[in-house]
Amino acid sequence: MTIILHSMAEVRAWRTAVASAGPIGFVPTMGALHAGHLSLIALARQRAATTIASIFVNPLQFGPAEDLDRYPRPIVQDIALLEAAGTDALFLPEVAELYREGASTFVVEEAVSTPLCGATRPGHFRGVTTIVLKLFNIVQPDFAAFGQKDAQQCAVIERMVRDLNLPVEIVRGAIVREADGLALSSRNRYLSTQQRRAAPAIQASLQAARAAFDAGERRASALAAIGRSVLQREPAITLDYWEVCHPGTLQSLDNVGSDGAMLAVAACLGSTRLIDNLLVPPGL
Ligand code: AMP
């Protein structure tokens, strides 16, 4: 039975009641749950005595022209999926519960959050770090699980945890994909049939660059050119970025060195923006 908690006070009381059972694992989400989210619940359940998820579509991380209003909110289905996955509790707050009128304190990470999505979505990571710190303060988990699909988000949160001495361990879960390679995303449901058919080219572009890496190519410009050329063959796809960056700092590289690299792509199909990434060498 998944207990549904709406207020901070309810979460705190619940936390006090379960604390003696052992470690608390936390999976923050924006809902519209799919197998990627559920893999993080499974990961948390392996390590935690008690697992709590949150569903909160965080207005602070959406830009003015982005999809906050139309973001899917299938809450009845989400609760059923969390139940079936064995989640102990769900924090399901309203916006007013988390953001008071006149809130004027925010968390800003200034290095890892600047390239890639930070460059094309100004303010996005400020919204992410602020809500994640707030959720950590409310839930006070021993660890929290985040998906490698949002690798930059993982890196930004890990840096925040390190820099602000937060007593939370961050665990990364592998990317869950459709059979044709498309990374699962709540936004995939926006895609038309034609766009859905084109979307696996995003992953294919990463695989093409990886094949070149495996064959010995180490120049970032050459790897990126290979990836971009795969996407350019798909008229339904508009490229946002296709970058070869350091897997830790996310700064762009000239050549892939001994630390390996993250190949990162963001692309739009109509107004739907999707991201994906791949680490080289594999298993990094
Ligand atoms: P979201 O609801 O999009 O904010 O995602 C909530 C969490 O699920 C984040 O940590 C995401 O990185 C993770 N996630 C989203 N899609 C996937 C996926 N395809 N595989 C693994 N984790 C994912």
Side-chain angles (χ1 to χ4, degrees):
M1 189 56 196
T2 306
I3 300 169
I4 301 178
L5 309 162
H6 294 279
S7 69
M8 289 187 255
E10 285 171 329
V11 176
R12 293 217 162 103
W14 170 85
R15 198 201 177 285
T16 305
V18 301
S20 62
I24 295 173
F26 178 39
V27 181
T29 82
M30 298 204 301
L33 302 180
H34 50 64
H37 298 110
L38 300 177
S39 73
L40 297 179
I41 299 283
L43 186 64
R45 287 191 70 209
Q46 279 167 19
R47 307 166 53 116
T50 312
T51 299
I52 178 168
S54 62
I55 295 180
F56 182 64
V57 183
N58 174 33
L60 202 60
Q61 70 189 69
F62 286 78
E66 292 184 357
D67 56 343
L68 174 62
D69 291 337
R70 70 173 182 135
Y71 199 84
R73 292 165 170 87
I75 191 62
V76 174
Q77 187 190 321
D78 283 352
I79 292 169
L81 288 169
L82 290 173
E83 286 267 13
T87 319
D88 297 297
L90 167 64
F91 182 34
L92 186 61
E94 298 289 337
V95 173
E97 178 70 7
L98 287 190
Y99 291 113
R100 295 227 191 154
E101 266 309 298
S104 55
T105 308
F106 305 94
V107 182
V108 180
E109 192 286 328
E110 295 187 343
V112 186
S113 64
T114 53
L116 306 176
C117 293
T120 44
R121 301 184 69 189
H124 169 67
F125 286 115
R126 169 181 177 267
V128 169
T129 43
T130 300
I131 192 62
V132 170
L133 181 62
K134 285 162 70 71
L135 290 169
F136 283 0
N137 284 335
I138 296 163
V139 174
Q140 297 178 36
D142 294 284
F143 69 88
F146 292 87
Q148 174 68 17
K149 211 267 284 174
D150 300 279
Q152 187 174 18
Q153 172 170 279
C154 290
V156 171
I157 290 166
E158 285 162 358
R159 183 63 64 91
M160 173 180 77
V161 164
R162 186 196 81 175
D163 290 351
L164 300 184
N165 312 103
L166 304 181
V168 183
E169 186 192 345
I170 304 301
V171 180
R172 291 196 194 201
I175 303 177
V176 178
R177 299 180 179 282
E178 302 281 6
D180 60 11
L182 177 65
L184 295 190
S185 164
S186 304
R187 291 187 167 100
N188 289 352
R189 63 184 75 192
Y190 296 151
L191 300 175
S192 69
T193 311
Q194 189 215 356
Q195 290 168 339
R196 176 64 188 81
R197 239 181 262 130
I202 296 172
Q203 158 70 357
S205 76
L206 294 166
Q207 292 296 347
R210 171 147 89 189
F213 176 88
D214 290 343
E217 182 60 77
R218 294 294 179 269
R219 292 167 302 161
S221 58
L223 294 168
I226 289 164
R228 288 182 191 128
S229 73
V230 171
L231 285 183
Q232 274 153 10
R233 290 202 289 270
E234 270 301 341
I237 296 183
T238 315
L239 186 61
D240 179 351
Y241 63 74
W242 206 111
E243 297 289 337
V244 179
C245 55
H246 186 277
T249 66
L250 306 188
Q251 296 305 310
S252 65
L253 295 173
D254 291 331
N255 291 289
V256 183
S258 56
D259 289 344
M262 183 171 84
L263 314 178
V265 55
C268 291
L269 293 107
S271 58
T272 303
R273 185 176 176 280
L274 301 178
I275 57 172
D276 201 350
N277 68 83
L278 198 65
L279 295 170
V280 291
L284 186 70

